[in-house]
Amino acid sequence: MKKKISLVVYYALAQHLSSLPYIRFLYRFFISFRCVLCRNLFNKMGKNANIQPKVYFGDGSCISIGDNVGFGRGFTVHNTILNMGSNIMTAENVLIMGGDIGMTA
């Protein structure tokens, strides 16, 4: 139940919260809010993550990230297992797509 609530709150609200750096106190709060929700969604999540707005990752159950990982604005993952180590930062608008999801014709 906690995972479903986190998923709804993330996609309905948190992913749309702006991260404008000139509003310093809100900037940190919005990033922290997204990280708290993603900690409930991801398979594994290290410390000190930075998740920018408009990041899409499905239900997050196939995502594992290490420490000091940053997802740029518009980062998108579809139909794949994503395992990221530590100290990785992605650019904006990165798209990672998987292929076969176990379906047969």
Side-chain angles (χ1 to χ4, degrees):
M1 187 61 143
K2 185 177 181 181
K3 184 171 182 150
K4 288 183 181 183
I5 292 171
S6 295
L7 196 62
V8 168
V9 171
Y10 178 81
Y11 284 115
L13 177 66
Q15 82 160 348
H16 302 290
L17 295 173
S18 179
S19 289
L20 301 174
Y22 56 83
I23 306 174
R24 211 32 105 174
F25 70 98
L26 289 178
Y27 174 76
R28 296 267 183 229
F29 172 75
F30 292 156
I31 289 174
S32 297
F33 184 52
R34 282 189 286 271
C35 287
V36 166
L37 294 171
C38 289
R39 191 167 303 282
N40 294 330
L41 300 173
F42 292 175
N43 188 27
K44 177 186 172 242
M45 183 172 169
K47 57 186 173 184
N48 199 24
N50 182 349
I51 301 171
Q52 293 295 315
K54 308 292 185 200
V55 172
Y56 176 83
F57 44 78
D59 68 356
S61 63
C62 295
I63 296 179
S64 298
I65 63 173
D67 299 333
N68 306 315
V69 172
F71 292 134
R73 181 182 207 88
F75 179 84
T76 305
V77 178
H78 286 287
N79 298 333
T80 190
I81 296 171
L82 179 65
N83 293 313
M84 295 176 78
S86 296
N87 304 314
I88 298 172
M89 181 174 67
T90 66
E92 292 185 354
N93 300 316
V94 171
L95 173 62
I96 298 176
M97 291 189 70
D100 183 19
I101 56 172
M103 297 177 70
T104 58

